[in-house]
Amino acid sequence: MANNEKPKLAMYWSSSCGGCEISVLNIHEHILTVDEVFDVAFFPCIADFKTKDVEAYPDDYITVCLWNGAIRNAENEEMAHLLRKKSMFMVAYGSCAYEGCIPALSNLTSKEATYNTVYKDNPSLDNPDGIIPKTSVKVAEGELTIPEFYHTVKSLDQVVDVDYYLPGCPPEPPQIWAVLQVIVGALLEGTPLPPKGSIVGVTNVAVCEECDLEKNEKVISRFYRPYEIVPEPGICLLDQGIMCMGPATRGGCEALCPSVGMGCRGCYGPMPGVEDQGAKMLSAVASVIGAGNENMEEAEIEAEIQAVVDTIADPAGTFYRFSMAHSLLQRAKVNGSNGKGEA
Amino acid sequence: MSEKKHPDNKERVGVYVCHCGTNISKVVDVEEVARWAGEQPNVEVSRDYKFMCSSLGQELIEQDIKEKGLTRVVCASCSPHMHEKTFRTACERGGLNPFLFEMTNIREHDSWITDDKEAATIKAKSLVRGSIDRVVHHEPLDQIPVEINPNTLVVGGGIAGITSALELADAGYHVYLVEREPSIGGHMAQLDKTFPTLDCSACILTPKMVDVGQHDNITLLTWSEVEQVDGFLGNFTITVRKKARYVNEEHCTGCGICIEKCPFNVVDDIFEAGMGTRKVIYRPFPQAVPKYPVIDKENCVYFQKGKCKACEIFCPTEPNSIDFEQEDEILQIEVGNIILATGYDLFDVKRIPQYGYGKLENVFTSLEFERMVNAAGPTDGKIVLRDQETKPKSVAIVHCVGSRDENYHKYCSKVCCMYSLKFAHLVHERIPDAEIYDCYIDMRTPGKGYEEFYNRLLEEGTHFIRGKVAEITDAARIPEEEGKLIVQVEDTLIGRQRRVPVDMVILSPAMEAREGSKEVSQLFKMGCDFDGFFIERHPKLDPVATMTDGILIAGACQGPKDVPESVSQGAAAAARVAGLISRGTVMMEPVRASIDQDACSGCRICNNMCPYNAIIFHEEENVSEVITALCQGCGTCVAACPSSVITGAHFTNDQLLSQIEGILWDMRPEKVTA
Amino acid sequence: MSEKYEPVIVGFLCNWCSYRAADLAGTARIQYAPNLRAIRVMCSGRVDPQFVLKALRDGADGVMIAGCHPGECHYVNGNIKTMRRFMLLQKMLTQLGIEEERVQLVWASASEGIVLAEKIDQMTEALRTLGPLNWKKRVLNSGNGYQAAEAIPVLEEA
Amino acid sequence: MKKYAYFPGCSLEKMAISYHDSALETTRALGVELEELEDWNCCGATTYFHLDEILANTLVARNLAMAEKQGLDLVAPCSACYKNAYFTNAYIQEDEDLAEHINYALEADDLQLSGDLSVHHLIEIFVNDVGVEEVKNKVTRPLEGIKIVPYYGCQIVRPRKDGENIEDPQFFEELLTAMGAEAVDFANKTRCCGGSLLISNRRAALDMIRILLQNAENSGADVIATACPLCQVNLECYQAQVNDEFGTNYAMPVMYFTQILGLALGIPRKKLRIGSELVSAIPVLSKYLKKEVS
């Protein structure tokens, strides 16, 4: 890199809500420093770039690429490969890129069912001919193509090599600034970089540590959905039967959600050493179900436990809200045509 | 044998595949498994051998550790319950930490369950690969030393508990013997004669009871119950409630004048099995140990109505031994080991209405009959009907009342055949012209001198009817049956229904677990089976130990047992404890959980996971901690921890996840032909 | 492998009851399907749901968790916690399209070698009927997922 | 008012008409409506089940299906009818194959049986539905001083129900006690009355009857109460033959429990057909009937 040239910054948006792009602004006046330090090389959200511009860059031209979004279709994957090739550092920015996030919840169903919902079976639709996307259509003028819509949503690192991860939905401002600082520091002052594959801007302790609510020994005899209960202030939400992923979720967010009475949803991903965040949370939650004991008949125990289990409406959606693509099973086995993972 | 060096090996694993003579090799292709194992990652050497557990087999392992610098060892042979210890010791001799060893069970779980050689060999490979992948993640561990408090708690003062207490006390160790009744002695004290020798039960038991009462090394706590058990092997703290006797044990001489003068009699449901009465201030029986009486508060006129005090008035001691103000005492005892000898209950025969007990007055239970034939019992040993005078001319004895019965207890109560025979003998002896009908399903007399006793009864003229009694009724069908109890039974030897009219019926009820044994097992944090009997560590090889270290069981609390067996178990449990005490410290398996304090978020999910209360929460630091000494290593908290910051030593996530991967080595997509 | 489809079951057997039951089945030479590959854990309560998912992902057709009967757990109530986890896990596995026969919780005391052998036979047969799971190949790497290629004929090909 | 489909069976309207009339009278008095099943058919008795189980079950199922169609639970006063109906109803819930067979056959009659209804013996209506307490409250003529044998017969307790002691049931006693009568302790209360053995082995059957009568006499009872037409016939009609055969002289009235209940409820004896017995019950009941007679 020539001394007079500023490092190049890219940010790309694949399958995600776009909140991550906006979150960059959350670093407030630091954005000016970013502007000072970096040249923007590719940032479709804020400036007009074309893919061909990127293709024209030499390899590793971009210093750091903040990639947000999951890999939903062939275009996402193609862009991931392209930007990987052109970037020195590929950062999985936000939960979608890191572990699939909300888009990956569609892994619980089939492509067909997703299409049905989006293009056919939806009250706000007007699609009398039942037209659904096809990768290639011949029209009078010739052939039209669109990217292939994948069956399974993947995280960024399931298609390209990723240098750093920034979890969060979206990542918290100090975290964003931290990762940029690290790279800038390395580039400008030669400070050592964290090892490749590091998850940046998180702690190594679960959210509960940062949460001020009072926690007690847990015995939960029913679970509540958020609308079913007004939480008692000051008391651990999980203790009150409100699903809170805090115990199974990596800290660093300062327990934002629990502190305003909403259970942690798990966006910072699993703790180090955990292979599957959802399974671990499921295990923890089931362990403290206050039903059944060793003096009861088996059928009675089962009935009691079942009653509590019945109050957890959607375990897969709850425990894998952010980590479906990174989970052990990654998706549902879909039988039949309704697209539900029905055994 | 095959040897191969992998340059990128992290560890140097030795794999040993045992033929077990032909036990394994006749189904599993052990040579192939060994050859194949040599090709697996991290494997330095792999061999097959005729008998790995032989000293030569063990030497192979030792040698390879020394010469080839093995860092891990896998042995594919029998169940770890059989030889894990053997091979761990071999590793240790070779200079390898014993926990860097893993055993693969290709005998009980493989070669013995199928004759499909191909499938068995594939399975053996999978299991071996699982072990290889697991053992790489093993960590050296040290056994945990625990100091043993030389005092012992014995719960239950029946013959098993008495034996345990005396054995230990005679060996010079202090024993606390806790009994909930006012006297020790248990069921044996109620019996008249013991089979098959017909020794007088009291004559052989009483001296032992006296020994217990007088022994310097025994603190006898009767009329007392254990309320709480804290701690673990070597260091238990026991809370005992010593119920108020209302008699001061320091002043009382046991003269018995108070009992004599007490004006009120009540039915004695416990010792006399309802056959006799006792005073309200009482000793269960004359030879009771200790000799001090107890006031039965519920029936005492002074306690209920505020008047009487006859006992106090007549008590000759100075100061007076009667103390109406006495209160329950709570004692704390420190012990290193616990022996449970809590005995059994008799099956409630009223649960079988067709046997008529309670409705037909001359139907008796075995215990009632024991009291009746006992010379010191309510009828002075005379065999009479409920009217206390008529001698029965015919007696039926019914076996298996509640035992070997789908509706009640499926198990055999083991002692009933023998004591039923004893009853038959006693009736013959005391009423020589009486006809005795003994209705049994199968006659079970396995024991020294037992079958001979049965033969003796055959000689004595007992009528044996092989068949389960259907009912006992007073509904006569023919004039000869009028006024009799009719025993309806299918005599399976002659293939006919019989109706046997008799004057008296004795039911031999099942021995069942003590009421509340489940609660007791929880109190002591040990296992208890469906029937309520305590579970031994191993049904054959470790019958007096339990899964909880430091807690032993003896006698009928573990399952139906006769006197000699209870005595053997009592002594065996004592010997086990004495061995531990003399060692001073014991080494415990290091399979224990621990929490990474730096990574614990204090979520408190694990806090009520532990049945041993080994997990404590530090409010200040906001972290939980496992007390290693209390932890039994089940791993339930490890599975529960949502942060995976609890590690279960020797069963870590890494080890188990790698084993899963290894065990499925042939299921990877590239290998599967779907 | 042979012509007949042989399901593979990963078994998590507790040290005190079900592992011993399996030992006893062997000692008694009870012949049963050699399709279960056992992993010994101290208590069924040690079985982390991650293990079940890991086994399914890595190629198992089914997972059996075996423990002591309720009330007979050697760690007092570890198996009750297993039941709680298992029941919630089953609910989630249903959402993930995994048939309930594929993950089973069974009880076998140390003396119930025959019971365990029967359960293994039954499970093997049930899995044989269901067919292979083969998660990585048939669900993850099939492009369109399990059976969906047949179910969705016209979505992407022109 | 709770309503049931009433299945009288083949004996109630002729031989056991006193049972029929008293059943209708007593249920009405206690606020229970029995609506006779229209076009009912034979319950299969005991014999048909030994010849062809599927057809026998189908026969029973037709009655059940008609009750189900009306949305009513079925009540049978005869113990054999009750037992057959109860078991078929239970089998159809447990055995899918059988259910399919039966429903295939029922289609011909435009019927279908799911087994959702429940089947009761008439005595259960008084014990469980009305309740012993309520019966006690409605008694206007307490039968003090009369000793009655609660003779269950063998079939009532055959469908073993939760919490019921089949060896020594107590509900009949409780019902009799509620009427103010004394229920004697009757060891043979669930013993067979001989059933249809009279056809094939007369002497053995008569001996079985004799044992019951002897047992009743020994217990000091004034009257035997039954809940089954066949029990009633065997115990009453064959008393004379028993006496002939064994040289005994039993004269024990055998009544349906509903007749006795009706009496306690103050229903006129004619309506209950008391007095039409072969061994008249009038002498032992006279003191309660005085008012009526005068």
Side-chain angles (χ1 to χ4, degrees):
Chain A
M1 195 191 301
N3 281 340
N4 56 352
E5 256 189 77
K6 287 204 248 174
K8 305 288 183 292
L9 177 72
M11 185 159 192
Y12 188 70
W13 170 0
S14 60
S15 178
S16 70
C17 68
C20 281
E21 326 291 293
I22 294 162
S23 74
V24 173
L25 294 177
N26 279 349
I27 61 175
H28 302 300
E29 67 276 12
H30 290 309
I31 197 78
L32 300 173
T33 318
V34 172
D35 180 54
E36 215 170 277
V37 174
F38 287 103
D39 271 342
V40 173
F42 186 55
F43 207 147
C45 179
I46 59 165
D48 187 13
F49 288 94
K50 299 294 183 220
T51 305
K52 65 176 180 352
D53 301 331
V54 182
E55 283 166 347
Y57 294 147
D59 288 359
D60 286 349
Y61 173 79
I62 300 166
T63 318
V64 52
C65 173
L66 305 178
W67 178 288
N68 95 77
I71 307 301
R72 168 80 274 183
N73 59 29
E75 189 214 12
N76 296 158
E77 182 163 1
E78 191 186 315
M79 285 303 292
H81 286 294
L82 177 65
L83 282 164
R84 170 70 274 186
K85 201 166 154 222
K86 304 294 176 189
S87 308
M88 290 169 70
F89 296 102
M90 188 70 154
V91 177
Y93 183 99
S95 189
C96 294
Y98 173 36
E99 47 179 1
C101 192
I102 307 293
L105 282 176
S106 70
N107 287 357
L108 286 169
T109 179
S110 69
K111 176 173 163 178
E112 184 193 34
T114 307
Y115 271 13
N116 273 342
T117 306
V118 177
Y119 298 108
K120 288 181 176 169
D121 182 17
N122 197 317
S124 63
L125 283 178
D126 180 20
N127 183 5
D129 300 329
I131 295 168
I132 49 168
K134 292 180 180 175
T135 49
S136 162
V137 179
K138 289 208 171 69
V139 291
E141 294 81 357
E143 187 184 13
L144 293 175
T145 63
I146 58 168
E148 184 194 345
F149 186 91
Y150 289 162
H151 180 64
T152 297
V153 173
K154 295 172 188 163
S155 61
L156 181 61
D157 65 357
Q158 284 166 343
V159 297
V160 298
D161 204 28
V162 170
D163 296 296
Y164 300 116
Y165 300 88
L166 235 91
C169 183
E172 281 307 298
Q175 211 187 325
I176 303 167
W177 182 234
V179 73
L180 291 173
Q181 254 184 330
V182 165
I183 293 173
V184 170
L187 293 172
L188 302 183
E189 287 145 41
T191 48
L193 282 166
K196 192 176 159 183
S198 293
I199 300 167
V200 194
V202 294
T203 68
N204 285 330
V205 187
V207 172
C208 296
E209 198 206 24
E210 298 169 347
C211 171
D212 289 333
L213 300 178
E214 183 196 323
K215 294 161 202 79
N216 290 298
E217 275 195 22
K218 289 171 175 50
V219 180
I220 306 176
S221 46
R222 82 154 278 192
F223 289 89
Y224 296 90
R225 304 183 79 175
Y227 67 85
E228 292 177 316
I229 185 173
V230 177
E232 197 162 317
I235 308 288
C236 168
L237 297 168
L238 196 52
D239 287 2
Q240 302 182 52
I242 301 161
M243 197 57 80
C244 175
M245 291 280 284
T249 303
R250 212 165 175 151
C253 61
E254 300 294 327
L256 271 185
C257 300
S259 66
V260 295
M262 172 58 74
C264 165
R265 304 184 311 153
C267 72
Y268 268 47
M271 284 284 290
V274 171
E275 290 235 358
D276 189 301
Q277 186 187 13
K280 275 273 62 163
M281 188 61 197
L282 178 145
S283 183
V285 160
S287 299
V288 294
I289 285 178
N293 66 54
E294 59 276 21
N295 298 319
M296 292 160 58
E297 293 293 323
E298 190 180 345
E300 211 183 328
I301 303 174
E302 257 181 37
E304 270 200 9
I305 297 175
Q306 193 59 52
V308 183
V309 166
D310 286 345
T311 62
I312 304 176
D314 173 15
T318 307
F319 301 132
Y320 290 125
R321 185 177 274 133
F322 295 91
S323 63
M324 191 72 229
H326 250 204
S327 68
L328 279 164
L329 294 180
Q330 203 177 338
R331 63 160 297 109
K333 175 162 84 74
V334 182
N335 300 331
S337 58
N338 70 352
K340 292 268 160 50
E342 277 174 7
Chain B
M1 181 193 140
S2 119
E3 288 189 44
K4 192 177 168 193
K5 303 255 187 304
H6 292 264
D8 52 347
N9 279 355
K10 274 187 284 182
E11 298 293 345
R12 301 151 74 88
V13 183
V15 178
Y16 301 87
V17 186
C18 182
H19 293 239
C20 192
T22 57
N23 276 315
I24 296 172
S25 61
K26 75 166 191 272
V27 183
V28 174
D29 184 347
V30 286
E31 283 99 352
E32 165 61 13
V33 174
R35 183 203 60 75
W36 168 91
E39 297 170 352
Q40 304 309 305
N42 292 308
V43 175
E44 179 74 13
V45 55
S46 83
R47 304 174 190 276
D48 60 279
Y49 190 72
K50 207 82 187 155
F51 285 107
M52 279 311 299
C53 60
S54 67
S55 50
L56 288 174
Q58 295 183 49
E59 274 166 26
L60 272 181
I61 299 177
E62 288 173 53
Q63 232 171 353
D64 283 348
I65 294 171
K66 286 176 190 149
E67 290 170 9
K68 299 187 184 297
L70 297 185
T71 59
R72 298 288 188 275
V73 170
V74 168
C75 187
S77 50
C78 49
S79 168
H81 292 294
M82 190 67 75
H83 275 309
E84 187 172 56
K85 207 167 188 178
T86 313
F87 296 122
R88 276 186 180 172
T89 315
C91 289
E92 211 166 8
R93 281 197 304 269
L96 193 66
N97 182 288
F99 293 90
L100 299 177
F101 164 79
E102 175 68 9
M103 192 146 175
T104 315
N105 185 343
I106 58 168
R107 191 179 73 173
E108 283 87 343
H109 290 194
D110 193 6
S111 72
W112 278 352
I113 59 118
T114 183
D115 47 19
D116 181 338
K117 293 183 181 175
E118 193 192 339
T121 306
I122 292 174
K123 182 170 175 177
K125 285 180 181 174
S126 303
L127 296 174
V128 167
R129 179 62 193 268
S131 296
I132 296 169
D133 288 6
R134 183 192 211 272
V135 82
V136 169
H137 293 273
H138 278 201
E139 282 158 22
L141 297 170
D142 293 319
Q143 295 202 314
I144 303 164
V146 174
E147 282 199 30
I148 305 287
N149 181 318
N151 299 337
T152 303
L153 171 72
V154 175
V155 185
I159 186 59
I162 287 174
T163 308
S164 289
L166 284 175
E167 292 281 343
L168 282 167
D170 286 345
Y173 303 120
H174 198 86
V175 175
Y176 296 92
L177 177 58
V178 174
E179 165 61 51
R180 70 174 173 187
E181 295 301 327
S183 169
I184 57 170
H187 277 108
M188 190 176 168
Q190 293 170 278
L191 309 184
D192 178 42
K193 298 278 195 308
T194 55
F195 61 77
T197 50
L198 301 173
D199 301 278
C200 151
S201 187
C203 314
I204 56 178
L205 178 66
T206 313
K208 284 192 170 275
M209 290 167 59
V210 173
D211 279 357
V212 168
Q214 294 175 345
H215 213 296
D216 287 342
N217 281 336
I218 297 179
T219 304
L220 181 57
L221 298 166
T222 56
W223 204 233
S224 301
E225 286 183 60
V226 174
E227 293 219 316
Q228 202 181 324
V229 180
D230 294 304
F232 45 89
L233 168 63
N235 299 283
F236 291 103
T237 304
I238 313 292
T239 310
V240 177
R241 175 177 294 269
K242 197 164 181 285
K243 293 176 279 188
R245 274 189 126 88
Y246 307 107
V247 172
N248 186 317
E249 290 172 33
E250 274 173 33
H251 307 143
C252 176
T253 61
C255 67
I257 291 176
C258 53
I259 301 174
E260 212 175 282
K261 299 296 182 188
C262 174
F264 298 101
N265 270 312
V266 288
V267 173
D268 182 358
D269 280 325
I270 299 192
F271 190 78
E272 294 295 359
M275 293 287 286
T277 58
R278 60 161 167 80
K279 291 293 179 61
V280 166
I281 182 167
Y282 71 105
R283 267 196 296 254
F285 50 103
Q287 309 91 323
V289 171
K291 60 198 170 191
Y292 322 113
V294 171
I295 295 180
D296 166 6
K297 195 177 175 183
E298 270 73 59
N299 289 305
C300 174
V301 171
Y302 171 72
F303 274 111
Q304 301 308 323
K305 296 189 179 143
K307 268 188 251 168
C308 182
K309 288 196 174 183
C311 47
E312 190 183 56
I313 294 161
F314 289 100
C315 176
T317 64
E318 195 59 49
N320 198 300
S321 301
I322 304 295
D323 178 3
F324 293 112
E325 306 301 316
Q326 208 178 53
E327 281 179 7
D328 290 4
E329 246 181 286
I330 304 293
L331 307 174
Q332 297 266 330
I333 301 171
E334 306 286 332
V335 296
N337 288 278
I338 298 169
I339 298 173
L340 292 179
T342 50
Y344 66 96
D345 277 338
L346 273 186
F347 173 76
D348 175 10
V349 295
K350 283 189 183 153
R351 288 174 62 194
I352 309 185
Q354 61 269 37
Y355 286 177
Y357 181 82
K359 216 150 84 175
L360 305 173
E361 60 172 2
N362 290 316
V363 177
F364 292 82
T365 67
S366 59
L367 205 54
E368 286 177 330
F369 187 76
E370 287 283 0
R371 293 311 301 150
M372 189 196 290
V373 286
N374 194 311
T379 63
D380 303 325
K382 283 199 291 288
I383 299 173
V384 286
L385 300 182
R386 215 53 93 165
D387 64 7
Q388 303 279 342
E389 52 189 60
T390 318
K391 275 189 184 180
K393 292 196 180 62
S394 50
V395 178
I397 300 167
V398 180
H399 290 229
C400 299
V401 178
S403 309
R404 304 185 70 199
D405 186 329
E406 288 278 328
N407 298 313
Y408 307 100
H409 297 302
K410 288 184 188 168
Y411 58 80
C412 165
S413 292
K414 204 171 184 178
V415 299
C416 330
C417 280
M418 283 308 295
Y419 74 63
S420 297
L421 291 175
K422 175 186 78 182
F423 289 168
H425 171 80
L426 292 173
V427 181
H428 280 304
E429 188 185 80
R430 309 218 176 147
I431 314 175
D433 56 347
E435 297 294 340
I436 302 162
Y437 301 89
D438 185 293
C439 306
Y440 66 101
I441 308 179
D442 293 293
M443 191 59 74
R444 297 190 166 177
T445 58
K448 194 172 175 181
Y450 290 10
E451 182 71 6
E452 292 88 330
F453 190 69
Y454 174 37
N455 286 330
R456 181 172 165 188
L457 264 293
L458 287 167
E459 300 278 310
E460 284 180 8
T462 306
H463 307 290
F464 286 98
I465 300 174
R466 184 177 180 276
K468 174 117 179 146
V469 171
E471 73 168 347
I472 295 155
T473 176
D474 58 354
R477 290 192 185 172
I478 48 174
E480 299 80 75
E481 292 179 353
E482 294 288 348
K484 298 271 188 182
L485 294 171
I486 303 108
V487 178
Q488 171 96 36
V489 54
E490 182 189 358
D491 188 332
T492 58
L493 295 180
I494 56 171
R496 288 193 59 172
Q497 281 288 335
R498 289 179 67 174
R499 288 174 63 81
V500 184
V502 292
D503 297 329
M504 175 191 253
V505 173
I506 306 165
L507 303 177
S508 299
M511 279 171 102
E512 54 181 23
R514 279 269 188 218
E515 195 188 341
S517 68
K518 286 238 148 117
E519 288 74 39
V520 173
S521 75
Q522 277 158 35
L523 181 65
F524 289 91
K525 302 177 184 74
M526 33 114 41
C528 167
D529 66 19
F530 271 140
D531 296 308
F533 292 116
F534 300 147
I535 304 176
E536 64 284 349
R537 189 175 265 264
H538 191 282
K540 295 185 185 67
L541 302 177
D542 214 349
V544 294
T546 66
M547 296 300 169
T548 308
D549 290 312
I551 297 188
L552 298 106
I553 48 178
C557 61
Q558 181 256 1
K561 248 169 228 73
D562 60 14
V563 171
E565 275 185 305
S566 300
V567 169
S568 312
Q569 283 210 334
R576 182 66 75 82
V577 171
L580 286 175
I581 298 172
S582 67
R583 260 194 281 164
T585 52
V586 289
M587 303 306 280
M588 305 271 285
E589 277 274 288
V591 177
R592 296 288 183 264
S594 59
I595 298 178
D596 177 355
Q597 305 280 297
D598 293 335
C600 172
S601 71
C603 72
R604 306 195 67 178
I605 291 274
C606 60
N607 285 190
N608 59 4
M609 282 299 100
C610 184
Y612 308 97
N613 302 324
I615 302 179
I616 55 166
F617 181 68
H618 300 290
E619 294 275 353
E620 298 269 295
E621 297 85 1
N622 190 38
V623 290
S624 297
E625 187 190 352
V626 177
I627 307 300
T628 313
L630 288 174
C631 173
Q632 299 291 313
C634 66
T636 306
C637 61
V638 184
C641 176
S643 295
S644 275
V645 299
I646 309 185
T647 305
H650 212 51
F651 287 88
T652 66
N653 280 353
D654 277 352
Q655 289 162 5
L656 290 166
L657 289 167
S658 305
Q659 189 175 6
I660 296 169
E661 237 175 79
I663 224 169
L664 294 166
W665 70 282
D666 57 338
M667 300 305 288
R668 297 187 183 139
E670 66 272 16
K671 301 204 175 194
V672 173
T673 50
Chain C
M1 252 186 243
S2 55
E3 343 49 70
K4 200 173 168 194
Y5 156 61
E6 289 298 338
V8 169
I9 306 168
V10 171
F12 295 99
L13 309 187
C14 82
N15 184 54
W16 305 106
C17 289
S18 47
Y19 194 91
R20 281 165 204 257
D23 279 0
L24 178 64
T27 311
R29 308 296 200 280
I30 296 164
Q31 301 289 293
Y32 63 89
N35 302 48
L36 180 122
R37 300 174 181 181
I39 292 176
R40 183 166 63 116
V41 286
M42 293 309 279
C43 174
S44 61
R46 174 64 185 93
V47 180
D48 188 322
Q50 288 188 107
F51 299 169
V52 178
L53 302 181
K54 170 82 174 167
L56 294 174
R57 178 191 172 90
D58 281 5
D61 297 300
V63 174
M64 176 184 277
I65 304 167
C68 314
H69 288 274
E72 291 190 355
C73 177
H74 293 292
Y75 300 103
V76 186
N77 52 21
N79 52 2
I80 308 288
K81 286 148 196 160
T82 312
M83 271 177 96
R84 295 178 190 154
R85 293 178 191 140
F86 172 78
M87 291 176 69
L88 185 53
L89 181 62
Q90 273 292 18
K91 180 167 180 176
M92 191 175 85
L93 289 176
T94 308
Q95 291 183 286
L96 290 165
I98 293 168
E99 299 86 349
E100 63 176 25
E101 294 89 337
R102 292 203 188 267
V103 181
Q104 298 189 11
L105 176 61
V106 307
W107 311 125
S109 73
S111 60
E112 293 178 334
I114 187 112
V115 172
L116 187 69
E118 277 168 8
K119 302 263 181 181
I120 294 171
D121 273 341
Q122 285 162 8
M123 185 164 177
T124 305
E125 283 318 305
L127 295 182
R128 220 192 283 285
T129 313
L130 285 178
L133 183 63
N134 203 349
W135 195 265
K136 279 187 186 158
K137 190 168 178 189
R138 301 186 62 163
V139 182
L140 295 185
N141 296 339
S142 66
N144 261 321
Y146 196 76
Q147 289 183 0
E150 297 92 71
I152 313 170
V154 287
L155 286 185
E156 60 258 303
E157 277 82 37
Chain D
M1 185 186 256
K2 172 102 188 183
K3 193 166 153 184
Y4 291 92
Y6 175 64
F7 177 79
C10 60
S11 43
L12 267 275
E13 284 164 16
K14 292 287 174 213
M15 211 159 67
I17 184 115
S18 48
Y19 194 12
H20 185 66
D21 288 357
S22 57
L24 296 176
E25 288 293 338
T26 46
T27 46
R28 195 177 305 132
L30 291 167
V32 176
E33 187 182 343
L34 299 184
E35 186 181 297
E36 187 168 331
L37 205 57
E38 240 177 80
D39 192 29
W40 54 265
N41 54 257
C42 170
C43 76
T46 40
T47 38
Y48 201 14
F49 283 85
H50 298 290
L51 296 173
D52 190 320
E53 238 176 283
I54 292 182
L55 287 180
N57 275 309
T58 310
L59 191 71
V60 179
R62 185 173 173 273
N63 294 326
L64 291 166
M66 289 188 296
E68 200 175 272
K69 200 172 185 179
Q70 291 180 53
L72 296 176
D73 289 340
L74 190 82
V75 167
C78 165
S79 298
C81 299
Y82 157 70
K83 193 202 77 188
N84 288 348
Y86 184 92
F87 282 126
T88 300
N89 194 45
Y91 294 154
I92 201 152
Q93 287 170 25
E94 288 164 11
D95 185 342
E96 277 178 38
D97 278 350
L98 182 71
E100 205 184 313
H101 269 98
I102 287 179
N103 279 311
Y104 179 70
L106 291 178
E107 259 176 42
D109 222 355
D110 202 19
L111 287 169
Q112 207 200 329
L113 180 60
S114 70
D116 276 346
L117 76 168
S118 59
V119 175
H120 307 272
H121 189 278
L122 181 63
I123 195 166
E124 292 180 311
I125 303 301
F126 298 104
V127 175
N128 300 331
D129 215 44
V130 175
V132 173
E133 271 311 301
E134 177 61 14
V135 170
K136 200 171 173 179
N137 294 337
K138 290 275 166 65
V139 166
T140 57
R141 193 153 47 176
L143 304 178
E144 274 152 18
I146 188 167
K147 289 178 164 184
I148 305 179
V149 168
Y151 180 56
Y152 292 77
C154 63
Q155 304 201 83
I156 292 185
V157 290
R158 282 303 166 261
R160 186 177 198 163
K161 293 177 180 171
D162 282 347
E164 199 174 279
N165 186 345
I166 61 162
E167 297 287 355
D168 188 18
Q170 290 298 327
F171 59 86
F172 207 156
E173 281 88 335
E174 285 164 17
L175 189 61
L176 293 174
T177 312
M179 301 175 201
E182 182 189 336
V184 302
D185 187 17
F186 191 62
N188 288 330
K189 57 183 158 186
T190 60
R191 209 34 71 77
C192 175
C193 69
S196 45
L197 193 65
L198 274 161
I199 302 165
S200 50
N201 190 337
R202 189 174 156 275
R203 198 186 145 86
L206 289 178
D207 196 35
M208 290 171 82
I209 297 166
R210 180 191 65 77
I211 289 162
L212 292 171
L213 291 170
Q214 182 62 49
N215 195 204
E217 201 170 88
N218 290 355
S219 71
D222 300 312
V223 59
I224 297 175
T226 87
C228 172
L230 191 57
C231 295
Q232 203 276 340
V233 166
N234 280 3
L235 287 176
E236 191 197 38
C237 305
Y238 288 89
Q239 260 186 46
Q241 293 195 26
V242 167
N243 287 341
D244 281 351
E245 187 81 29
F246 299 100
T248 51
N249 49 0
Y250 301 118
M252 177 70 70
V254 185
M255 297 174 74
Y256 293 105
F257 78 96
T258 40
Q259 292 179 288
I260 302 169
L261 175 61
L263 195 64
L265 295 175
I267 297 168
R269 81 168 169 90
K270 290 250 163 86
K271 286 190 169 181
L272 302 166
R273 292 184 184 263
I274 292 175
S276 64
E277 311 83 27
L278 294 179
V279 180
S280 176
I282 300 282
V284 293
L285 299 177
S286 56
K287 64 173 166 175
Y288 313 106
L289 297 171
K290 255 178 207 150
K291 255 189 220 155
E292 275 187 42
V293 173
S294 58

